[in-house]
Amino acid sequence: MRVVIAGGGIGGLATALSLHSAGITDVVVLEAAKEIRPLGVGINLLPHAVRELTELGLAPRLSDIGVPTGELAYFNHRGQLIWSEPRGIAAGYKWPQYSVHRGRLQMLLLDAVRERLGPDTVRTGHRVTDVVTENGKVIARVGDSSVGPCDLLIGADGIHSAVRKGFYPSEPAPLWNGLVLWRGTTRARPYRGGRSMIMAGTDVQKFVAYPISDPDDTGEVEVNWVAERPLDRQAMSRGDWNRRVSPDDFLHWFDTWTFDWLDVPDLIRRASVVYEYPMVDRDPLPRWTHGPVTLLGDAAHPMYPIGSNGASQAILDARVLASALARHDDPVAACEEYEAERRPATAKVTLSNRQRGPELVIKLAYERAPEGFDDVEDILPLSEREEIAARYKRLAGFDPEMLNNRPSYDVAASTK
């Protein structure tokens, strides 16, 4: 079976590795960028994604670049604790949760693809502009040339997917909810033990921070942070993570957020670089698979970066699709099985993220006590906080008991 993957991001590279693990080695990855470089800022890999990367044999490499997250904690805009919970191994999972630099993760996956499938597997400077199906085979158009024919083309080409656009030409631009994220990294002293992911804020304004490196010789770590609030102008570059801005553009909205455990304005002010990104997604699609062509990752289900699920869901897509392809002679039947499992699941996550997902506790705490509280139990009982957290884990596929006991997507393991 010959497979072409449009897109060399995390989803596309994880798919190539998953196919290789499933015994499908005639794979080509077409990446639009002329060179793949370690760009971007931090992301989180939840235990369900770490499980899949572990089963692909990448656990030691992932441990080298990631910080195992030990705690997730929510605070109000005054720095008062609303809810905290252990994460990863400390929460009873068999696999850790990692905070990593997105670019370093992409390079890790790229190196593994080149080692396992060959140095020419990933072809840079190849932007897929269209796909053509003829007699059950697929040809990818790349500018004035083409790649193919192949038995299956996987559109993993991001939120502005040309493959998706070919099937849904009238779909509007990514949908913006009026909020903007400013993202950056800053060298700083560790806080709350050094392995905590924190979210602080109100119903409309939020700050997220987590370390993505171990301490250096001075004791400082690289802290990834995200500042979020509505924008009083039209958002620029919907779906572009790499638009640079000055911290002065938004620092004034956070200049009083100095807590006894974290100095928010200092982190913003000292960032090495800051990116502006409108919070956008797309409506769930009625169909991903069109003959021997299917969608994956952000091309299939772009979602708000809430609940740390974007990259994790793309990795799950890759594993489910590869498992189905290894068990079916017909790639179309395999894609339909993959879609039947993954499309409803990711649609639920996308729609839940529009309602704040697990971050709902911040919104409720502010609505019920906008000036702060003496005891969070008086405004948001523990049982309600626990149910919000547990509900999202179940919906997104990383409830501890469910994940620990779920059969592997590895073909060899699933057929024993």
Side-chain angles (χ1 to χ4, degrees), residues 27-30 113-115 117-124 126:
V27 178
V28 174
V29 180
L30 306 178
V113 168
R114 287 173 169 165
E115 290 167 8
L117 286 102
D120 299 325
T121 299
V122 180
R123 303 180 186 177
T124 56
H126 283 63

Side-chain angles (χ1 to χ4, degrees), residues 86-116:
R87 280 294 173 118
I89 301 298
Y93 293 99
K94 295 179 180 178
W95 303 272
Q97 175 174 328
Y98 282 114
S99 298
V100 301
H101 187 284
R102 186 184 196 95
R104 293 173 202 145
L105 175 62
Q106 187 176 10
M107 298 306 293
L108 181 158
L109 297 174
L110 176 64
D111 290 344
V113 168
R114 287 173 169 165
E115 290 167 8
R116 298 178 187 184

